[in-house]
Amino acid sequence: PVATSRSPMAKAAGTELLILHGSQTGTAEALSESLAATASERGVSVRCLSMDEYEVAELPTEPLVVFFASTTGEGEVPDPMRHFWRFLLRKDLPAASLAAMSYATFGLGDSSYPKFNYAAKRLHRRLAMLGATPLGSCGLGDEQDGRGIEEAYAHWEERLWPALAHQLGRELQPARRCKPARARF
């Protein structure tokens, strides 16, 4: 089952995967919920929350996290990500504070802006600086792509599942193939 911030399982013990989203218009949230539903179908215990609903001080206790981050304006993080991001930028955080965590990042942005997907790129780098292990490169969805963000997301997700299976130490159940959420920019 998928635990969201609105469900009683939101902080259930034994969750294998945490999915966090920072969304301004709802697209990052929709993609994160789609990934959570697919993870649940594949037999992965998952929580899916907005970054502003998650207690960021608990991040060092999370072994496996997928982040979705939108970039707004001129490279800004979305409103629901501001507190989370400020916490990660603290200078008193030890360099190895996230050493027990593996993570993946998918960004949503618009390449017509100079700081395309800046929030996701910075998040991806900062997590590594704090000792977390990336499961792959940062996925970059582009609103200006004629195919929408869906194609970039599909390629990124395709590479994500084997990495998650490896981290979990087991094969995952096959999932019904469905299209990711349609972008709403």
Side-chain angles (χ1 to χ4, degrees), residues 127-142:
L127 294 168
M129 288 173 59
L130 294 172
T133 303
L135 297 175
S137 60
C138 182
L140 303 174
D142 183 4

Side-chain angles (χ1 to χ4, degrees), residues 120-134:
K121 291 173 183 176
R122 289 176 64 205
L123 174 63
H124 195 80
R125 282 193 307 269
R126 182 62 177 154
L127 294 168
M129 288 173 59
L130 294 172
T133 303

Side-chain angles (χ1 to χ4, degrees), residues 100-117:
M101 185 179 88
S102 294
Y103 71 97
T105 312
F106 189 81
L108 295 94
D110 182 331
S111 60
S112 68
Y113 287 89
K115 293 185 177 181
F116 170 63
N117 263 315

Side-chain angles (χ1 to χ4, degrees), residues 9-104:
M9 290 178 50
K11 296 206 182 222
T15 301
E16 296 174 297
L17 173 64
L18 172 64
I19 301 173
L20 295 173
H21 57 83
S23 188
Q24 194 70 32
T25 63
T27 306
E29 180 179 4
L31 285 176
S32 69
E33 289 173 353
S34 175
L35 183 71
T38 303
S40 184
E41 277 182 19
R42 298 193 76 171
V44 177
S45 173
V46 60
R47 286 183 295 152
C48 183
L49 302 163
S50 173
M51 289 183 197
D52 64 353
E53 297 171 332
Y54 179 74
E55 180 51 59
V56 66
E58 295 296 317
L59 202 55
T61 69
E62 303 287 353
L64 192 54
V65 185
V66 174
F67 297 91
F68 287 86
S70 295
T71 299
T72 65
E74 298 296 325
E76 299 297 318
V77 299
D79 294 337
M81 187 176 165
R82 289 189 192 283
H83 172 74
F84 188 92
W85 182 240
R86 278 194 302 270
F87 183 89
L88 289 182
L89 291 177
R90 287 179 32 190
K91 294 185 186 324
D92 64 339
L93 293 177
S97 58
L98 298 179
M101 185 179 88
S102 294
Y103 71 97

